[in-house]
Amino acid sequence: MFRKRPEGSAATVWVTVEGREVQVPAGASAAAALLLAGLAATRETAVSGAARGPYCLMGVCFECLAEIDGVPNCQSCMVTIGPGMAIRRQHGKRIATPQ
Ligand code: FES
């Protein structure tokens, strides 16, 4: 489930989390970036507004939904970060966009 980073691996990537620049180890997930930014709660439920955060970190629980590069409802634990990626918490249910 969890992989140890290779010894001497120091590559990092800069991403934006809630508008703030955060340096994250290359190959990490967007959920890891949110956690590294100090955000334990990454979304609020659509019904009660209760705070939720990454739980399983393997694509099962859907508690890590976030907006990534403007796309809502992304399972942030399943998305590998890239340079300049913009990650935001998701508030309530997503707003449908016209197709
Ligand atoms: S943390 Fe469970 S699906 Fe992402």
Side-chain angles (χ1 to χ4, degrees):
M1 172 165 47
F2 297 104
R3 288 172 285 157
K4 184 178 180 194
R5 293 176 43 83
E7 292 295 326
S9 174
T12 59
V13 174
W14 286 93
V15 299
T16 304
V17 177
E18 289 291 319
R20 185 166 55 96
E21 295 284 320
V22 177
Q23 194 172 20
V24 182
S29 68
L34 285 156
L35 294 169
L36 282 169
L39 301 174
T42 59
R43 72 177 185 103
E44 297 163 355
T45 61
V47 175
S48 69
R52 294 286 192 260
Y55 181 68
C56 72
L57 294 170
M58 59 182 191
V60 176
C61 72
F62 286 76
E63 296 292 7
C64 63
L65 296 179
E67 181 184 304
I68 300 176
D69 287 337
V71 179
N73 280 351
C74 294
Q75 281 180 282
S76 61
C77 71
M78 302 303 290
V79 176
T80 301
I81 56 159
M85 182 177 274
I87 306 163
R88 293 196 163 277
R89 291 181 288 185
Q90 185 160 310
H91 302 283
K93 70 179 186 180
R94 77 179 181 111
I95 298 169
T97 54
Q99 309 244 338

